[in-house]
Amino acid sequence: MTTPSADPLPWWRDRRLLLLVAVTVVLRLLIEGLWPFEACVRDECMYLFTAERMAEGQGMTASNGWIWAPAHVFLLAVTHKLSWGNAAVLKVPQALFCGVAVVTLFRLTQRVASERAAVAAAWIYALHPTIVFFATRLWSETIYATLLLLGLLGLMRARDAGSLRKAALTGALVGLCVLLRGVATYMLPIFALGLLWGRLRERRAWGQALVLALAAALVVAPYSAYATHKFGTFIISDRTMGQMMWLGNNDFPPITFDIGNGQLTQRKYSGYAGQGREHCAPKEQPVERDRCETAAGKAWIRDNPQEFLRRVPLRLAQLFNPNSFLTRHLRQGGWKHLPSAVDELICAAVALVALLTVLGSALGVWSRRLGAYALVVGLTTAYHLAAVAALAGLSRYRVPLDVIWLPFAGIFLANPVATLRAVIHPWWRSLGTAATLCVLLWLMLWFLPAGFPWWETDYPLWSGWFQ
C-alpha cells in the first residue's frame, strides 16, 4: 500500500485536482444547460411531490404508499422554497457536490492505493457517463455517493490518526447517509468493524467504534423520534421493505424500469402488476401496507422457494446491467437534437465504462491486499448484493457501488500489466480472479443486448433470459 505524503497540497493549489474539479462540475452544468430538466421519472416524481408538501409545512409524508428517507426530500423542499417552486435547481448544488466527490475520491485512492491510481480513478468519475447523468437528475445517488466517499475517507483518516474526533465525524457522515437512503442503516456495523480491523486489542480502537456509533445515532435520532411519533410505528429512516417485497416477491417476475428488462410505461406496468397479488392495504395507510406486504412477501418466499432462488441471478443481472438510466433516457429521445450516431456512441460508452469499472475493480481487488478499505467496501458490497438478491435489482442501485469501487479500478488502469501479473500467482488468487470475472461477465452480458435495438436478442448466450 502506498502512503500519501504527510502534508499533500490543498486541492486548489494542485493543478491536477483543479482541472479535475473544473471538468467534473462544468461537464454536468453544461449538460443541464443543453438539456434542462423537463419531466420527472417515477421515484423522482414521488420525491418532488413529497418535497412540495414538506415545503408547504406538512412535514414528512408518505408518497404512493412509500415512506422515503427524509434527507433528499428535505433538500428538494429547501430548494423549492428558495427558488420559488423550482426544486430542479438542486442540480446546481449536485454538480458542486460532484466536485467535492472527485477530490475526495482522489485523496481516498491516493491513501489506499497510489498516486497514479488516484488520477485514474478520479478521471473515471469525472467522465463516467452514468455518474454524469445522475448528477443532472433528481434521484438521491449523487449526494449519497459523495457522503459515502467522505465517510470512507474519514474512516481511513480516523484509523491512521487514532482520533476520536475523526471517528465522530465519520459516524456523523454515516448518519447522514442513513437519512438519505435507508439501506445505509445496516452499514454502520461495517464501518465500526473497519475501525476495529487489525486493532482488536487496542482500547483506542474500541473507543473510536463507540464514538462512531454514538455520532451516527445522534444524527439520525431526532428524525427517527419525529417519524416514529408521526407515523405511530418505529422508524429509523424509511419504511420501504413492504413495497420492495411486493415488487420482487410476487407472482410476476421482479419489476424494474431499465431499458430492455423493465415495464417502462405506466400502462405496461399496470398490466404487468395485475398478474400478481393486489396490495393488502391502501396507499393512504403506508405503515399498514409496509407491514402486511412484508409479511405477504415472506409468505410468498416460503410457498415458492424454488422460484425465489431461481430469481436470484436475474435480480443480480438487473443490478449489473451495463446499460443504465442514461441509455433509457437516450432511447426515449431525452437528449433532443442529438444525431442518432451520437446516441449510439454514448450508449456504447455507457456499457463499456460500466464493464471497465466493474471488471477493472475486480482485477484491482484481487491484485493486492488493501486492508480495512477493501474489508469495508467488500462487506458493503456483499450486503447490497444480498438485499438485491432477496428483493429486486436495478442498475440505479449500482451507482454508489460503482463510485466506491473506483479506487480498485484505478489500480488496474494505473498499471494494467502489473495488475494482471499480480493476479496470476499464487494459484488461489488466479482461481478467485477467474471465478469472479466469469460470474461478473455472465451477469453483465445478460442484458447488454437490450440497450441496442439492432442487436439480435435471440443470440444463444442470452436466449430465454429476457422474458
Side-chain angles (χ1 to χ4, degrees):
M1 184 185 303
T2 300
T3 303
S5 58
D7 189 21
L9 284 174
W11 68 268
W12 58 88
R13 293 177 56 192
D14 187 325
R15 292 182 179 179
R16 297 169 305 173
L17 286 176
L18 273 176
L19 179 60
L20 275 164
V21 171
V23 171
T24 299
V25 175
V26 171
L27 178 59
R28 286 149 177 80
L29 292 178
L30 178 63
I31 291 174
E32 173 54 25
L34 291 172
W35 296 285
F37 188 86
E38 292 182 350
C40 58
V41 178
R42 301 193 182 275
D43 288 0
E44 282 181 315
C45 299
M46 286 191 275
Y47 294 154
L48 286 167
F49 181 55
T50 310
E52 288 172 6
R53 288 184 296 190
M54 183 179 286
E56 293 168 358
Q58 298 183 43
M60 191 63 188
T61 56
S63 179
N64 201 32
W66 299 74
I67 301 176
W68 299 104
H72 189 62
V73 172
F74 174 75
L75 291 173
L76 286 168
V78 170
T79 308
H80 184 278
K81 275 281 192 182
L82 296 178
S83 60
W84 297 279
N86 185 13
V89 172
L90 179 63
K91 288 182 289 182
V92 175
Q94 279 190 166
L96 300 178
F97 262 87
C98 291
V100 174
V102 79
V103 174
T104 306
L105 178 62
F106 184 93
R107 294 299 187 208
L108 181 60
T109 310
Q110 189 182 41
R111 180 175 291 270
V112 301
S114 69
E115 194 87 7
R116 290 181 64 183
V119 173
W123 275 112
I124 300 175
Y125 179 91
L127 302 175
H128 194 300
T130 299
I131 294 173
V132 171
F133 173 71
F134 270 87
T136 68
R137 302 296 301 188
L138 294 178
W139 289 290
S140 60
E141 273 68 18
T142 295
I143 296 174
Y144 176 75
T146 302
L147 291 176
L148 193 53
L149 281 173
L150 287 167
L152 287 166
L153 180 59
L155 177 75
M156 300 310 297
R157 287 178 170 173
R159 279 181 57 89
D160 290 346
S163 166
L164 294 177
R165 180 179 63 83
K166 291 181 178 179
L169 178 58
T170 302
L173 289 166
V174 175
L176 289 175
C177 287
V178 172
L179 293 178
L180 266 167
R181 297 183 67 175
V183 71
T185 302
Y186 305 100
M187 293 194 319
L188 181 60
I190 296 174
F191 272 74
L193 182 59
L195 285 174
L196 294 171
W197 185 252
R199 307 165 68 209
L200 287 174
R201 296 184 179 182
E202 297 180 24
R203 293 181 60 185
R204 190 71 171 181
W206 286 95
Q208 284 184 303
L210 178 61
V211 166
L212 174 111
L214 287 174
L218 287 173
V219 169
V220 175
Y223 174 76
S224 178
Y226 158 81
T228 297
H229 174 75
K230 179 165 186 173
F231 292 103
T233 189
F234 179 65
I235 293 176
I236 296 176
S237 175
D238 69 351
R239 289 295 290 267
T240 59
M241 174 66 79
Q243 295 278 55
M244 292 299 296
M245 276 288 195
W246 185 85
L247 288 171
N249 293 291
N250 210 320
D251 292 334
F252 48 75
I255 296 181
T256 66
F257 313 105
D258 274 322
I259 187 75
N261 68 316
Q263 310 306 310
L264 301 184
T265 68
Q266 188 59 43
R267 182 178 178 181
K268 286 185 177 180
Y269 171 85
S270 298
Y272 196 72
Q275 302 172 31
R277 66 176 182 271
E278 295 184 359
H279 282 296
C280 55
K283 61 185 179 182
E284 292 77 18
Q285 299 176 15
V287 173
E288 180 56 32
R289 173 177 281 199
D290 180 78
R291 184 179 294 119
C292 69
E293 288 295 4
T294 300
K298 292 177 180 178
W300 187 91
I301 294 171
R302 185 177 61 250
D303 295 338
N304 302 273
Q306 291 183 334
E307 175 63 17
F308 172 76
L309 292 175
R310 192 181 71 82
R311 291 182 179 187
V312 168
L314 169 64
R315 301 182 217 258
L316 294 177
Q318 290 169 341
L319 175 71
F320 283 100
N321 185 357
N323 310 300
S324 75
F325 279 19
L326 173 54
T327 308
R328 181 184 71 184
H329 192 69
L330 290 171
R331 295 303 184 202
Q332 295 178 334
W335 284 1
K336 299 174 182 177
H337 311 303
L338 276 182
S340 59
V342 176
D343 277 349
E344 293 298 330
L345 285 173
I346 295 174
C347 289
V350 167
L352 288 172
V353 173
L355 286 161
L356 174 65
T357 300
V358 174
L359 301 179
S361 297
L363 288 166
V365 166
W366 279 104
S367 68
R368 63 173 73 182
R369 295 178 61 183
L370 294 167
Y373 184 77
L375 173 76
V376 172
V377 172
L379 291 176
T380 299
T381 300
Y383 157 58
H384 281 80
L385 293 183
V388 165
L391 298 170
L394 200 62
S395 66
R396 174 188 163 196
Y397 300 158
R398 202 184 72 245
V399 173
L401 295 177
D402 276 353
V403 173
I404 64 175
W405 292 340
L406 284 178
F408 307 133
I411 291 171
F412 169 69
L413 287 175
N415 200 330
V417 174
T419 303
L420 292 173
R421 285 176 178 167
V423 300
I424 294 175
H425 301 290
W427 67 267
W428 56 265
R429 181 170 287 171
S430 59
L431 184 62
T433 303
T436 302
L437 292 178
C438 286
V439 171
L440 289 175
L441 271 171
W442 175 52
L443 294 173
M444 297 193 79
L445 295 180
W446 195 317
F447 288 113
L448 176 61
F452 303 91
W454 43 264
W455 195 322
E456 290 291 339
T457 57
D458 59 354
Y459 189 81
L461 181 59
W462 301 285
S463 178
W465 295 109
F466 293 91
Q467 303 302 320

